[in-house]
Amino acid sequence: MDDKNLNTKEKILSATIELYGIKGDITVREICEKAGVNVASVNYHFGSKDNLLKEVEKHYSRLLFNIQNEIIMDEVKEAREKLIDWADALMKFVLDYPALIMLVTNLVLQDESYNPEIIDKFLGSIESKKNIQNIIYSITNIDDKEILNFKYMQLFSGVIGPIVFQMIPNIKDTNKVFMDLNNEEERKRYIENLVDTIVKE
């Protein structure tokens, strides 16, 4: 965004989104330096740093939702390709923005009443789940709702599980056991195999 065309509130939000995407946890002073505003501006426009971070969470949640929705609703892609692209986009998004998981966790721990938008729009979305199940059905013709639910769970956990292991190497030496998901070819082969396993009747 061009800072000249942003008001103070937008400058603060834009700076926070950019900084959080790069380094994760940030201070109000870092945000203000990046935005070119004074510290009081954060409290004036957002009330608190936590409220500002909630807006950041909403931004990334909407971004993920739009990416995923565009893939699911694509009328040109074949069903198998949609599942592969959906899984790959989700995996790549979390790898690109690993701080998002910590952000959501911290916001919920600090405010139990807070309902992260990522839950509403994505993780807990019945509509998204049904859309994926419909794609699986279009390939397999399985109409048993329980089996379709199992297959959705297998696909979702098959994407999220490896991401967790990808983050562990920073703490433990598990990179010799699990694959490098940042390697695009290796990640794509894994996802294709995952999808093919799930859509087998």
Side-chain angles (χ1 to χ4, degrees):
M1 291 185 206
D2 184 353
D3 281 356
K4 292 176 184 175
N5 297 323
L6 298 180
N7 62 37
T8 301
K9 184 174 182 178
E10 290 171 333
K11 283 181 183 177
I12 294 168
L13 183 57
S14 179
T16 309
I17 287 166
E18 186 178 339
L19 285 171
Y20 209 94
I22 295 168
K23 60 180 290 189
D25 197 26
I26 45 178
T27 66
V28 171
R29 191 162 300 284
E30 287 175 307
I31 294 166
C32 293
E33 284 176 12
K34 177 76 177 169
V37 300
N38 61 45
V39 173
S41 298
V42 171
N43 286 332
Y44 178 77
H45 288 286
F46 295 94
S48 67
K49 179 184 171 185
D50 281 353
N51 286 342
L52 172 56
L53 292 178
K54 286 173 184 176
E55 291 300 316
V56 172
E57 185 269 326
K58 287 176 183 175
H59 165 82
Y60 282 112
S61 298
R62 290 169 189 159
L63 181 60
L64 175 59
F65 176 81
N66 290 337
I67 291 168
Q68 299 279 279
N69 199 50
E70 188 176 327
I71 293 167
I72 291 170
M73 297 304 171
D74 191 316
E75 295 180 3
V76 177
K77 284 184 197 278
E78 293 181 4
R80 178 181 174 272
E81 188 183 358
K82 282 187 186 183
L83 293 179
I84 290 169
D85 289 352
W86 176 88
D88 188 52
L90 172 56
M91 201 173 263
K92 189 173 184 313
F93 187 90
V94 179
L95 290 169
D96 286 347
Y97 306 108
L100 180 61
I101 293 172
M102 287 308 300
L103 172 60
V104 172
T105 304
N106 290 337
L107 288 172
V108 171
L109 288 174
Q110 290 166 13
D111 180 0
E112 291 180 9
S113 67
Y114 180 62
N115 186 25
E117 192 157 314
I118 198 165
I119 302 296
D120 282 343
K121 282 195 161 295
F122 186 70
L123 299 176
S125 169
I126 299 296
E127 184 182 350
S128 293
K129 178 183 174 182
K130 283 183 178 176
N131 286 334
I132 295 296
Q133 286 179 326
N134 286 339
I135 294 170
I136 294 170
Y137 168 75
S138 73
I139 300 170
T140 63
N141 290 317
I142 294 171
D143 56 6
D144 184 313
K145 289 183 181 178
E146 185 178 48
I147 299 298
L148 281 174
N149 190 44
F150 291 162
K151 289 189 175 291
Y152 172 77
M153 288 171 57
Q154 286 174 316
L155 179 61
F156 193 82
S157 59
V159 171
I160 297 298
I163 293 171
V164 173
F165 291 121
Q166 181 74 39
M167 294 175 179
I168 292 174
N170 298 327
I171 305 166
K172 296 181 180 175
D173 192 22
T174 57
N175 57 338
K176 294 174 184 169
V177 179
F178 299 102
M179 66 195 322
D180 178 13
L181 296 173
N182 288 309
N183 180 316
E184 191 174 343
E185 289 180 17
E186 197 169 348
R187 186 177 72 240
K188 201 81 169 197
R189 284 198 307 273
Y190 167 75
I191 289 169
E192 287 176 359
N193 182 266
L194 173 66
V195 167
D196 287 343
T197 301
I198 288 165
V199 296
K200 281 182 181 174
E201 294 186 47

